[in-house]
Amino acid sequence: EHMLLSKPPVNSNSNAPLLSEALSTYLKRKGEGKDKIFVRASNRNIKYVIELLGDLPIDEYSSKDASKFRDYLLDRGLLISSVKRIFSSIRSIINLSISEEGISCINAFSKTYMPESNNVEIRKPIPIKDIRHIQSLCREYDDDLRWLIALLSDSGMRLGEAVGLLKSDINLDLDIPHINLVPHLWRRLKTRGSQRCIPLIGASLWASKKILDNRNDSIYAFPRYTSKDNCNTNSASAALNKWLKEQLTDNYVIHGFRHGFRDRLRAIECPSEIIDQLGGWSLRSIGQGYGSGYDLDILHK
């Protein structure tokens, strides 16, 4: 179900669908099995276009319209990275209808110039002294939010990866305690390399024990934010970032633990391939894609 703010369509002699109809086709073809965030983002992005340019047949938008739409988004204060994501979504929606309907037209949103990214927010890595301070506070507070922070602090996981865990993804009874990070219906993974085994040490091991010792009836590691239908990473992010800002003098965010994780591994001269495998970062060379990667005992070391 989606809501669109529509203007009366312009008369067109073509058989091209309206943009709102292209959206319906896209969600019907691509939306199955996707989470609510995918559907909501697709609806929102098309709503932006219709608010500014009207709900036109997809072959009636011009490159000038697309440039006007880009400027509209930038004037709203969006980062250029966000504008590029919105354009990518709109291109995909229109391209699918062009292909499905056999329409002979150019996607007006396909080659819009984007200025250089000079307004990107820099997410600073959290220094080790602050990481240790936060880990100590997590042990004192000893609740589910602090378990989540502690789990992230020594594992390098993305917030969404941790929030969407099942308790059964956490393996503590083996020689090397670890998380088997796999996709779930309520939480996909970002890249192919994101599916991985993550050894548990330090605060992350402590947090994992707390999660499994918590005798609630839920199968989820963090039922406050996760259910069979949804993984509410945004709510978790807001709550954790608010608490971090109260505890630290500098303006760090929860993603800073992941940046700090990479810096800490660099500091001990850990090979970049191991760093990438531990953090689920995309492989940067063809050679890294060969073989099955490092064994868990090497990663643990």
Side-chain angles (χ1 to χ4, degrees):
E1 181 179 355
H2 55 276
M3 303 282 294
L4 293 167
L5 298 179
S6 302
K7 297 178 182 178
V10 174
N11 290 332
S12 173
N13 293 322
S14 93
N15 293 320
L18 299 175
L19 184 59
S20 58
E21 295 170 336
L23 171 63
S24 297
T25 299
Y26 184 76
L27 293 178
K28 183 177 179 181
R29 299 283 189 271
K30 300 276 191 177
E32 187 175 350
K34 298 293 179 64
D35 56 26
K36 293 179 180 178
I37 295 175
F38 172 85
V39 175
R40 188 164 61 240
S42 299
N43 276 301
R44 182 187 64 236
N45 296 337
I46 295 303
K47 174 175 169 283
Y48 288 158
V49 178
I50 291 175
E51 283 179 340
L52 181 70
L53 302 171
D55 188 12
L56 308 180
I58 60 173
D59 62 346
E60 291 202 1
Y61 294 103
S62 67
S63 58
K64 185 177 180 180
D65 288 331
S67 297
K68 181 180 178 181
F69 181 62
R70 174 204 60 210
D71 295 341
Y72 165 76
L73 295 175
L74 291 173
D75 288 344
R76 287 174 60 123
L78 271 70
L79 297 176
I80 192 65
S81 57
S82 298
V83 175
K84 287 179 179 178
R85 279 196 299 272
I86 291 170
F87 265 74
S88 177
S89 171
I90 294 166
R91 281 197 302 271
S92 297
I93 290 166
I94 293 176
N95 280 339
L96 182 65
S97 277
I98 289 174
S99 174
E100 290 280 295
E101 303 290 339
I103 300 166
S104 179
C105 73
I106 295 174
N107 187 337
F109 295 84
S110 63
K111 293 184 179 180
T112 309
Y113 171 75
M114 293 292 168
E116 290 299 317
S117 180
N118 57 0
N119 56 351
V120 176
E121 289 181 303
I122 303 299
R123 290 168 167 171
K124 298 182 291 185
I126 302 177
I128 190 64
K129 65 178 179 60
D130 289 322
I131 290 175
R132 298 298 182 225
H133 173 60
I134 291 297
Q135 288 174 337
S136 176
L137 289 176
C138 286
R139 293 175 187 267
E140 290 179 23
Y141 278 73
D142 195 14
D143 60 12
D144 62 332
L145 290 184
R146 264 44 66 169
W147 301 341
L148 179 52
I149 291 176
L151 180 62
L152 294 168
S153 69
D154 277 338
S155 69
M157 277 192 290
R158 300 174 179 92
L159 177 59
E161 292 174 343
V163 171
L165 288 173
L166 288 174
K167 288 180 179 177
S168 58
D169 294 332
I170 302 172
N171 301 280
L172 298 184
D173 297 331
L174 302 175
D175 291 340
I176 299 176
H178 66 278
I179 286 173
N180 184 28
L181 187 61
V182 295
H184 294 300
L185 291 175
W186 53 89
R187 189 262 287 127
R188 294 176 295 156
L189 296 179
K190 187 174 183 180
T191 65
R192 181 170 57 88
S194 297
Q195 184 167 327
R196 63 197 187 276
C197 286
I198 306 169
L200 290 166
I201 62 163
S204 295
L205 179 58
W206 169 81
S208 297
K209 290 177 179 176
K210 286 290 183 175
I211 292 166
L212 295 191
D213 286 343
N214 185 26
R215 300 300 180 187
N216 59 28
D217 295 331
S218 178
I219 61 173
Y220 306 105
F222 299 102
R224 181 196 293 246
Y225 297 116
T226 304
S227 67
K228 65 181 178 63
D229 299 317
N230 189 36
C231 179
N232 199 338
T233 303
N234 289 337
S235 292
S237 177
L240 300 184
N241 285 333
K242 180 177 184 294
W243 186 76
L244 277 184
K245 288 177 182 178
E246 293 170 354
Q247 310 307 323
L248 298 174
T249 53
D250 286 317
N251 191 27
Y252 297 113
V253 295
I254 200 71
H255 199 74
F257 285 112
R258 183 164 161 81
H259 288 278
F261 181 80
R262 191 168 191 101
D263 277 352
R264 290 160 67 191
L265 288 167
R266 284 196 191 106
I268 59 166
E269 300 180 355
C270 180
S272 61
E273 283 194 35
I274 293 181
I275 296 177
D276 288 341
Q277 187 175 333
L278 281 167
W281 280 285
S282 297
L283 305 179
R284 285 167 291 178
S285 72
I286 294 175
Q288 283 182 269
Y290 286 84
S292 56
Y294 290 90
D295 291 339
L296 190 58
D297 57 339
I298 300 293
L299 300 176
H300 184 255
K301 182 177 72 171

